Amino acid sequence: VCLHHDLGALGAAVNHRAIEKRLQMLKDMGANAIRTSHNPPAPELLDIADRLGFLVMDEAFDTWYTGKTQFDYGRFFRQWAQADIGDMVARDRNHPGVIVWSIGNEVLQTDDKNTVKMLMDAVRAKDTTRPIGQAVAHFTQIDTDAIGLEDVVGINYAPERYDAVHKAHPNWKLLASESSSALRSRGIYNNKNTQCTSYDDFAAGWGHTAEASWKNVNTRPWIAGEFIWTGFDYIGE
């Protein structure tokens, strides 16, 4: 699952037991991996993930040069990105659960080879043992030369592109870095009110039902797996 850093109604401050309970519930449900959407996780989350046996895609940025909101990290990217991602890797590299470093989520500059190389070099200066990738938005170009520099290629909400990307780049290591965005109302089993049913009939306009998302992955042996949006409800980006 993808997992925001905040704890919903409990807020954004770290609460060790709340994080632990969440991960225990996800583990009981059958989840085995977490993508830290869309920023470096609290160290406490990685400690708990290691103890419970989760794999982690450790993500650095939700934006590069072009900000998504007025006060987001895009204001600081040019000056601080190289140092910040290096610090993240140095901090988290001794967690055995971390299996992928993610240099971005749905950034608009996926074809920027210089930035991809700069971020990958900053990661490799601190750790050479894990692959590096990013979560590529469904509304941007996926099969670019810049993306081809990365060790793994994460695709968000674009199962219709899986086959074409694989055919064009059979050696690329692909995963669904964000999928589904299915919508349900707990305990509702009819279509006669304004709530979505629990029959897995609804999804956000950019997403797919949980069943469809899983079928898109498990019928293609060259897709490593999927991170479902989202593990728990959250406050926001």
Side-chain angles (χ1 to χ4, degrees), residues 89-166:
V89 174
R91 186 198 69 172
D92 296 348
R93 63 191 174 191
N94 288 328
H95 287 278
V98 175
I99 60 167
V100 178
W101 302 114
S102 172
I103 61 176
N105 167 67
E106 298 191 346
V107 299
L108 300 179
Q109 299 86 24
T110 56
D111 58 347
D112 186 339
K113 292 179 69 173
N114 290 333
T115 299
V116 169
K117 187 176 185 303
M118 178 269 289
L119 294 174
M120 293 183 70
D121 287 346
V123 171
R124 287 174 175 159
K126 305 290 184 175
D127 177 52
T128 59
T129 67
R130 278 95 160 184
I132 305 168
Q134 64 172 295
V136 184
H138 62 94
F139 50 80
T140 58
Q141 189 175 357
I142 294 174
D143 54 343
T144 68
D145 291 340
I147 293 296
L149 297 174
E150 298 171 16
D151 303 308
V152 297
V153 178
I155 300 176
N156 288 8
Y157 304 114
E160 68 281 357
R161 296 195 194 178
Y162 291 168
D163 294 331
V165 171
H166 177 61

Side-chain angles (χ1 to χ4, degrees), residues 3-21:
L3 205 61
H4 263 289
H5 74 283
D6 71 70
L7 296 166
L10 295 181
V14 169
N15 181 315
H16 188 279
R17 176 56 189 145
I19 296 173
E20 182 180 53
K21 182 177 180 181

Side-chain angles (χ1 to χ4, degrees), residues 197-215:
T197 78
S198 288
Y199 283 128
D200 195 29
D201 294 334
F202 294 89
W206 58 83
H208 307 80
T209 66
E211 183 176 4
S213 295
W214 180 229
K215 185 176 181 180

Side-chain angles (χ1 to χ4, degrees), residues 34-62:
I34 294 167
R35 172 175 164 238
T36 66
S37 315
H38 304 291
N39 48 262
E44 291 84 351
L45 182 138
L46 295 179
D47 290 339
I48 298 167
D50 286 344
R51 176 160 53 84
L52 295 181
F54 279 94
L55 306 176
V56 176
M57 183 174 183
D58 200 336
E59 193 157 88
F61 306 118
D62 191 28

